[in-house]
Amino acid sequence: MSKLMMRTMDLRGKTMSRAQLLAAMPRADMGTREASAQVQPILDQVREHGAAALRDLEEKFDHVRPHDLRVPASAMQEALRQLDPKVRSAIEESVTRIRKVCTTQVPKPMATDLAPGARVSERWIPIERVGLYVPGGKALYPSSVIMNVVPAQVAGVDSLAVATPPASGDPHGLPAAIILATCAILGVDEVYAVGGAQAVAMFAYGARGSEPQDGEILCDPVDKITGPGNIFVATAKQMVSGMVGIDAVAGPTEIAILADGQANPDWVAADLIGQAEHDELAGSVLITDSQELAQGVQEALGRRVPRTEHADRVRTSLGGNQSGIILTDGIDQSIDVANAYAAEHLEVQTADPDAVIDRIRNAGAIFRGPYSPVPLGDYMSGSNHVLPTGGTARFDVALGVHTFMKPVEVIEYDEEGLKPIAATINDFAVSEDLPAHGECILSRFLDDPYNKADLEANEEKAGLL
C-alpha cells in the first residue's frame, strides 16, 4: 500500500466549542508579520523615488530592468496577434460569461419614504480609479485579468490600471504575452511591468517618471487595489489599506470538499490535486463522515499524484499542515466543520446537496455536485474566482461588481418632513450632551434656540410640540 499523502483529523465522538473548532481547522501560516519588515522599505523607496525605485526593485526581484515600465500599446497588440486562436476563443468565452453574470449583479438605487417630505435614497457610485494586480510566479493568470477587469468595467470604473510582473526571461522586461493579449481583448491600455509589493506601492502612492519614456508622471495613485498575490503582495496591501481601499488580504488558495459515502473517490482526489497544484502552501481539505471514502481518496491520490506534472508541488501541499482529511460523525458535524473552515472554494458532493447548501453559512463560493468542480469557476462558470481565503469567508465575499462601487445615501427632508421631529431630535442631542446639534435643527423653526428658559414655550408656539 502506498504511503498516505494526507493526514487525518478524526473528530468523531468529539464535542467541541466554537472556539475549539475554529482553532482546529487546518491553515497555512500567512507570515504577514515577518513579511512586513521586508515590505516597508519597498513601500518607502517607491513613495520617495517613483519609477527609479521601481526599476531598481524589478532588477532585484525579477532579475530584469524594464525599459518600459508602462507597457507600450504596440506590445499588447503584438501579443494579441500572436495569441493561439483556440486560447483566444477560450478567453473570449470566459469574458462573455462573467460579463453576463456581472451585468445582473449591478445594484439598483433605492428610496424609502418615511413620511411626507421625508425620504432617504441610496445611489451606487463607481470607484473612480482602480489598480488591478495580476500575479506571476508558478503559473500565468490571464483568468485573473478577466476576473478583476470585467466587474470593474461593468461597475463603470472610469480608470483601470493593471500591474503584473515581467515574464521570466523576457529580455525587455515585458509581462507574459498571454496577460498582455488578455488586456488587449478587454480594452485595457494602462498596463505596468511591475510586480510584487512595489506594484502595490505604485498604485497606492503613484509614481513620478525617471526616464523620458515614463513621462513626468508614470502612474497616478488609485482609490482601490484588487487582485491576489504572494505573501509580499498581501502584506503590502494590508499595510497601505486605509490610504487606499483593498479587496482583501489574500492568503494561499484552498479547497474543502464536503462529501459523503456516495462521492466518487477518484473525482474527489482529482479535485484535491487540482487545488494543490497552485502552491506548496495551498490547502486541500476533505470533510466526510465516510471512512470508506477517506480510504478510497487516499488510494486514489497514491495512483494519481505521481502522474500529474507538478507532482512534487502537489505532494508538499497535500502533506502540509494546511491540508487533511477530517472525519466526522455525520452530515451535521460535517456542515459544522465546513462552516468553521469557511473555505475559499467549497465543493458539496453529497446525496442531497441542496439540503447541505441551505445550511452553509461560510464559503467564498459553493460548487454544487460532482459536475461543478473548482476549475470550472476558475475559468468558465461566469462566477468570480477572486475569493476570500484563510477563513475570512466568515465575513468577507467574492470579488464582484459591488467591489468597485460604493453606496451613498442621499437624505431629502423638506420643512414638512423635518418639523414633526425637530423637538425630538433636540431632546436626543441634549441627552448626548451635544446641544449645538439640537440648536442646528431648531434654528430652522425658532428665532432663538439658545434661550433655554423659554425653549419649551417657543417650541410649542412654533408648532414643534
Side-chain angles (χ1 to χ4, degrees):
M1 182 180 294
S2 62
K3 182 180 177 182
L4 298 183
M5 291 194 179
M6 300 181 73
R7 67 189 178 110
T8 298
M9 299 171 56
D10 194 344
L11 301 186
R12 292 175 296 182
K14 296 181 180 178
T15 300
M16 305 176 75
S17 69
R18 187 169 191 267
Q20 289 172 326
L21 192 56
L22 289 171
M25 293 299 99
R27 300 285 183 206
D29 180 13
M30 277 286 286
T32 53
R33 181 178 301 176
E34 294 79 6
S36 63
Q38 299 175 62
V39 167
Q40 187 62 59
I42 294 172
L43 300 180
D44 294 340
Q45 287 176 57
V46 175
R47 187 173 196 174
E48 184 173 352
H49 301 293
L54 292 172
R55 285 188 171 87
D56 290 344
L57 291 163
E58 285 306 316
E59 188 170 21
K60 178 179 180 180
F61 294 118
D62 292 319
H63 314 296
V64 64
R65 191 173 185 86
H67 177 270
D68 294 296
L69 287 168
R70 179 164 176 171
V71 178
S74 58
M76 288 190 279
Q77 290 304 315
E78 179 62 17
L80 181 58
R81 189 185 68 79
Q82 295 188 13
L83 185 63
D84 183 326
K86 290 183 178 179
V87 176
R88 178 169 182 168
S89 178
I91 290 171
E92 289 174 341
E93 179 65 22
S94 178
V95 170
T96 296
R97 287 172 177 257
I98 191 169
R99 196 178 295 280
K100 187 171 184 178
V101 172
C102 284
T103 300
T104 66
Q105 286 182 343
V106 177
K108 295 177 174 56
M110 54 77 67
T112 303
D113 291 312
L114 298 157
R119 164 177 284 197
V120 175
S121 57
E122 184 177 76
R123 299 175 57 215
W124 284 83
I125 303 173
I127 291 171
E128 186 174 351
R129 178 164 165 78
V130 175
L132 312 173
Y133 187 77
V134 178
K138 297 181 175 67
L140 300 175
Y141 294 100
S143 56
S144 287
V145 179
I146 297 168
M147 299 295 167
N148 280 270
V149 168
V150 173
Q153 289 178 331
V154 173
V157 170
D158 290 338
S159 177
L160 295 174
V162 169
T164 189
S168 176
D170 187 282
H172 304 294
L174 291 173
I178 193 170
I179 300 295
L180 298 183
T182 304
C183 288
I185 288 171
L186 290 164
V188 177
D189 60 6
E190 187 180 350
V191 180
Y192 296 92
V194 181
Q198 58 268 31
V200 175
M202 177 186 70
F203 281 151
Y205 308 130
R208 65 182 185 274
S210 64
E211 298 187 9
Q213 63 270 28
D214 299 336
E216 183 179 351
I217 300 297
L218 172 71
C219 179
D220 282 320
V222 305
D223 302 310
K224 191 167 190 176
I225 302 171
T226 71
N230 63 17
I231 183 61
F232 300 105
V233 171
T235 302
K237 286 171 69 177
Q238 186 176 55
M239 293 174 74
V240 301
S241 176
M243 172 175 292
V244 295
I246 64 171
D247 53 345
V249 179
T253 191
E254 62 201 21
I255 184 176
I257 303 176
L258 195 165
D260 57 20
Q262 60 82 48
N264 184 320
D266 284 296
W267 294 5
V268 171
D271 294 355
L272 294 169
I273 291 169
Q275 205 63 22
E277 180 180 41
H278 276 283
D279 189 273
E280 288 85 353
L281 291 177
S284 296
V285 175
L286 170 62
I287 305 166
T288 184
D289 59 359
S290 169
Q291 177 74 54
E292 292 75 18
L293 177 65
Q295 182 61 39
V297 168
Q298 292 276 27
E299 292 171 358
L301 291 172
R303 295 190 303 270
R304 287 170 172 265
V305 170
R307 301 182 66 189
T308 196
E309 181 173 349
H310 302 297
D312 289 343
R313 187 189 306 163
V314 170
R315 284 193 191 93
T316 301
S317 172
L318 294 179
N321 289 332
Q322 76 276 12
S323 299
I325 297 175
I326 302 177
L327 290 174
T328 69
D329 283 322
I331 197 68
D332 290 341
Q333 191 180 32
S334 290
I335 291 169
D336 288 343
V337 170
N339 281 325
Y341 185 64
E344 178 188 17
H345 311 90
L346 175 65
E347 290 186 2
V348 178
Q349 299 189 32
T350 60
D352 189 355
D354 290 331
V356 172
I357 290 170
D358 283 346
R359 297 171 59 191
I360 296 297
R361 300 177 65 92
N362 304 323
I366 301 171
F367 297 79
R368 180 194 181 279
Y371 289 94
S372 302
V374 165
L376 172 66
D378 288 339
Y379 301 112
M380 208 74 69
S381 67
S383 60
N384 202 297
H385 78 200
V386 182
L387 302 165
T389 60
T392 59
R394 290 186 295 119
F395 52 82
D396 211 347
V397 297
L399 196 78
V401 172
H402 57 272
T403 306
F404 302 99
M405 303 186 80
K406 51 190 179 183
V408 177
E409 290 181 326
V410 179
I411 294 87
E412 309 170 68
Y413 274 59
D414 61 16
E415 182 179 0
E416 183 183 15
L418 181 60
K419 188 172 183 178
I421 57 173
T424 305
I425 294 173
N426 179 63
D427 292 339
F428 207 151
V430 170
S431 76
E432 293 190 342
D433 194 24
L434 295 170
H437 282 57
E439 291 155 3
C440 168
I441 298 293
L442 295 177
S443 291
R444 270 69 181 169
F445 307 101
L446 303 180
D447 292 334
D448 185 8
Y450 304 97
N451 179 7
K452 305 305 180 186
D454 297 325
L455 181 61
E456 187 170 340
N458 287 333
E459 286 178 331
E460 185 172 2
K461 184 177 179 181
L464 304 183
L465 296 180

